[in-house]
């Protein structure tokens, strides 16, 4: 990757219990993602206790796998700018991609707006993809009860149906896929079992 290009950012969203934490834990363990910065709301949510922490500096943690993990400080814009400035100053590792995990109740639209409209952000970053995780077991009920979950699907570039290893009703899974297609027919769709994700789903696009 040409480091002069803006750094690609993937927004990982999904309603509570959709499996985002498991996906992030997989990313942090995979050597292929060693040059990744992951921005989360709380370190504890991604199971850092099970990873080797090399160094800690306030809200930024260096991991032995090469990843950087960072908590959101105030707002996303200030966090992204701070990360970039510290990267350029050599204070942290030179990450080449970023994953932003939203809270389960979040409407991702303000994050997308920040990525595309804030000059200090889009000078150094580009929104590569919005990926929404959808629980294969509880997805349909969640859509019926939680309008935020429908918004998360509607704005996605890619939809990741999670927990398919625990979903034993093929008809229900097919109905969920049909509903996703109805909400967002243009999104790429894929399935995930036990948090295993094809990297192309997360990091392709732009």
């Amino acid at each position: 990757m040409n480091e002069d290009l803006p750094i690609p950012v993937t927004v990982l969203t999904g309603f509570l219990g959709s499996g985002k934490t498991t996906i992030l834990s997989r990313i942090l363990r995979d050597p292929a993602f060693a040059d990744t910065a992951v921005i989360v709301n709380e370190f504890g949510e991604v199971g850092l206790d099970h990873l080797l922490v090399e160094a800690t500096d306030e809200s930024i943690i260096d991991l032995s796998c090469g990843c950087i993990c960072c908590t959101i400080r105030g707002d996303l814009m200030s966090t992204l700018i701070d990360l970039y400035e510290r990267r350029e100053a050599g204070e942290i590792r030179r990450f080449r991609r970023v994953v932003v995990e939203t809270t389960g109740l979040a409407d991702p639209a303000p994050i997308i707006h920040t990525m595309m409209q804030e000059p200090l952000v889009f000078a150094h970053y580009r929104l590569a993809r919005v990926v929404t995780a959808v629980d294969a077991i509880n997805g349909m009920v969640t859509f019926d009860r939680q309008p935020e979950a429908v918004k998360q699907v509607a704005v996605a570039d890619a939809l990741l149906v999670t927990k398919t290893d625990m979903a034993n009703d093929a008809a229900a899974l097919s109905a969920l896929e049909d509903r996703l297609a109805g909400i967002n027919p243009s999104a790429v769709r894929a399935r995930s079992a036990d948090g295993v994700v094809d990297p192309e789903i997360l990091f392709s696009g732009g």
Side-chain angles (χ1 to χ4, degrees), residues 83-101:
L83 270 179
Y84 184 82
E85 290 176 346
R86 297 180 72 168
R87 170 187 184 265
E88 294 306 293
E91 297 175 10
I92 58 176
R93 302 179 190 185
R94 288 190 69 82
F95 56 89
R96 297 172 62 189
R97 65 174 70 87
V98 177
V99 178
V100 177
E101 183 235 4

Side-chain angles (χ1 to χ4, degrees), residues 84-138:
Y84 184 82
E85 290 176 346
R86 297 180 72 168
R87 170 187 184 265
E88 294 306 293
E91 297 175 10
I92 58 176
R93 302 179 190 185
R94 288 190 69 82
F95 56 89
R96 297 172 62 189
R97 65 174 70 87
V98 177
V99 178
V100 177
E101 183 235 4
T102 72
T103 66
L105 295 170
D107 178 353
I111 295 176
I112 296 170
H113 181 272
T114 295
M115 293 300 310
M116 301 184 72
Q117 301 295 328
E118 294 290 347
L120 290 175
V121 173
F122 69 67
H124 305 303
Y125 297 95
R126 65 179 175 86
L127 180 62
R129 176 160 275 200
V130 178
V131 180
T132 299
V134 179
D135 183 341
I137 299 170
N138 300 307

